[in-house]
């Protein structure tokens, strides 16, 4: 299974590398890689993510005739309380724009503390010091068969490992699983059990099959950057049924809450190059009762009483 790991660092700096590096910009994001193709693919991925989050931002703005927030069932499932809407909105807006929140950070490439999407391609490009020990991040990447990306805490750097681009599936051209020709749901749609208030998972899948696509992996690392700078915390809760159990005050600090919520808001097909998406539909067909339909959970009723 593809995973994206956290790395907690005390010191971080960039080192000159033998491999040629090229840089570019996508909005406020800086992109670093070893070829123009890497820059272009990263830019297109950011554009797809920008388009994918528009239905989410629209959902967060919905209100009734009295101005009371009325977000979707997917929001209620993963964030529980409307109290979280302003913070959740800010994280998604920052992700779509790449706004800088570390303006005084001392390091190369970044623009006023905005995120740097850096694809590692050779030893010596990024050296980190963890507990006094030098860590070559390229070697950290290549020593694992599953590590796709990481964000060194307290820095603006989003590091993409070689495996991020070579792992199949997913392809950069399939940011979300398409529907089958007969209109049935994608194979990794998360089906629900309302009686047990949880998702039905198959085999060794813990629910992350829904979000193991390059677009969401990139969003995960970017969201970690923004969440940490706001809350000074950096946590992952991956199994989807564990995410469901989170109390509402904790949900906004867990990046997987954002990923599952955003993934469940989309309607296929997703454009390859970032054309605006249709908004607000189920990721899966109605008959499959996909993620946004599971919202009658004990946690929801408890947190409503506490707000």
């Amino acid at each position: 299974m593809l995973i994206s790991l956290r790395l907690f660092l005390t010191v971080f700096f960039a080192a000159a590398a033998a491999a040629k590096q090229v840089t570019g910009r996508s909005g406020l994001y800086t992109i670093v890689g070893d070829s123009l193709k890497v820059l272009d693919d990263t830019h297109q991925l950011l554009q797809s993510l920008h388009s994918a989050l528009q239905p989410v931002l629209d959902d967060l703005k919905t209100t009734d005739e009295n101005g009371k927030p009325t977000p979707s069932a997917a929001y209620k499932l993963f964030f529980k309380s409307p109290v979280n809407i302003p913070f959740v909105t800010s994280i998604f807006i920052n992700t779509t724009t790449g706004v800088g929140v570390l303006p005084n950070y001392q390091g190369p490439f970044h623009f006023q503390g905005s995120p740097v999407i850096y694809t590692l391609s050779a030893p010596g490009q990024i050296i980190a010091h963890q507990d006094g020990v030098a860590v070559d991040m390229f070697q950290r990447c290549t020593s694992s068969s599953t590590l796709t990306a990481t964000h060194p805490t307290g820095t603006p750097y989003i590091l993409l490992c070689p495996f991020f681009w070579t792992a199949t599936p997913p392809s950069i051209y399939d940011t979300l699983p398409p529907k089958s020709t007969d209109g049935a749901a994608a194979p990794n749609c998360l089906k629900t059990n309302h009686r047990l208030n949880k998702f039905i998972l198959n085999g060794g899948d813990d629910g992350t099959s829904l979000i193991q696509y390059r677009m969401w992996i990139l969003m995960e690392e970017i969201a970690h950057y923004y969440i940490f700078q706001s809350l000074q915390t950096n946590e992952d809760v991956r199994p989807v049924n564990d995410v469901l159990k989170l109390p509402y005050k904790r949900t906004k600090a867990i990046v997987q809450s954002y990923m599952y919520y955003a993934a469940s808001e989309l309607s296929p097909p997703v454009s390859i190059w970032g054309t605006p998406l249709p908004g607000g539909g189920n990721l899966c067909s109605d008959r499959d009762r996909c993620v946004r339909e599971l919202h009658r959970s004990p946690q929801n009723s408890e947190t409503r009483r506490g707000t």
Side-chain angles (χ1 to χ4, degrees):
M1 180 178 66
L2 306 181
I3 60 174
S4 175
L5 301 180
R6 308 260 58 74
L7 179 65
F8 294 88
L9 304 176
T10 54
V11 181
F12 178 92
F13 63 92
K20 180 182 178 181
Q21 295 172 319
V22 291
T23 62
R25 294 284 295 278
S26 181
L28 294 177
Y29 286 97
T30 300
I31 305 172
V32 183
D34 64 350
S35 69
L36 292 176
K37 183 180 186 307
V38 168
L39 266 60
D40 185 62
D41 287 349
T42 306
H43 168 70
Q44 300 299 344
L45 202 55
L46 284 168
Q47 292 297 300
S48 291
L49 178 60
H50 181 277
S51 295
L53 293 182
Q54 297 313 303
V56 178
L57 291 171
D58 290 342
D59 178 56
L60 290 166
K61 293 185 293 187
T62 57
T63 61
D64 62 16
E65 62 276 10
N66 298 315
K68 180 180 178 180
T70 55
S72 67
Y75 174 89
K76 296 173 187 176
L77 176 61
F78 292 111
F79 291 103
K80 311 291 197 301
S81 169
V83 170
N84 287 326
I85 289 177
F87 185 86
V88 172
T89 301
S90 71
I91 297 299
F92 282 120
I93 289 177
N94 287 348
T95 299
T96 61
T97 59
V99 64
V101 294
L102 285 173
N104 299 318
Y105 184 80
Q106 299 298 310
F109 300 119
H110 74 88
F111 174 71
Q112 298 181 347
S114 59
V116 178
I117 314 298
Y118 195 131
T119 292
L120 298 172
S121 58
Q125 290 175 324
I126 296 292
I127 306 296
H129 283 191
Q130 183 179 17
D131 299 327
V133 178
V135 179
D136 187 311
M137 295 305 296
F138 177 79
Q139 293 179 352
R140 172 66 64 89
C141 281
T142 55
S143 66
S144 168
S145 62
T146 56
L147 181 58
T148 55
T150 188
H151 164 58
T153 303
T155 79
Y157 299 99
I158 310 301
L159 304 180
L160 304 183
C161 297
F163 189 58
F164 179 86
W165 297 111
T166 60
T168 54
S171 162
I172 191 173
Y173 302 113
D174 293 320
T175 53
L176 282 177
K179 283 187 176 181
S180 62
T181 54
D182 64 358
N188 63 353
C189 171
L190 301 183
K191 297 183 180 181
T192 62
N193 185 316
H194 283 249
R195 184 176 62 85
L196 298 178
N197 288 315
K198 67 178 186 179
F199 292 104
I200 303 169
L201 304 175
N202 298 318
D205 182 20
D206 60 1
T208 54
S209 61
L210 181 66
I211 54 176
Q212 287 301 350
Y213 289 81
R214 289 196 183 107
M215 183 172 67
W216 299 132
I217 293 170
L218 181 59
M219 191 192 88
E220 175 182 5
E221 302 308 328
I222 295 170
H224 268 295
Y225 162 70
Y226 287 118
I227 292 169
F228 182 81
Q229 294 309 313
S230 297
L231 302 178
Q232 297 299 297
T233 186
N234 211 342
E235 293 185 79
D236 287 294
V237 177
R238 295 193 177 280
V240 66
N241 284 327
D242 289 351
V243 177
L244 293 183
K245 299 174 185 177
L246 296 171
Y248 83 95
K249 289 184 179 180
R250 191 179 170 205
T251 56
K252 67 180 183 180
I254 307 301
V255 73
Q256 284 73 27
S257 298
Y258 297 81
M259 296 168 71
Y260 283 120
Y261 166 45
S264 70
E265 280 296 311
L266 290 182
S267 300
V270 172
S271 167
I272 294 173
W273 302 120
T275 302
L277 300 169
N282 291 333
L283 177 63
C284 308
S285 62
D286 291 338
R287 68 188 183 201
D288 288 299
R289 306 184 73 185
C290 197
V291 277
R292 43 197 321 251
E293 299 182 34
L294 179 61
H295 60 277
R296 301 187 189 93
S297 68
Q299 291 81 10
N300 288 345
S301 58
E302 290 172 6
T303 54
R304 280 199 296 270
R305 288 198 297 270
T307 60

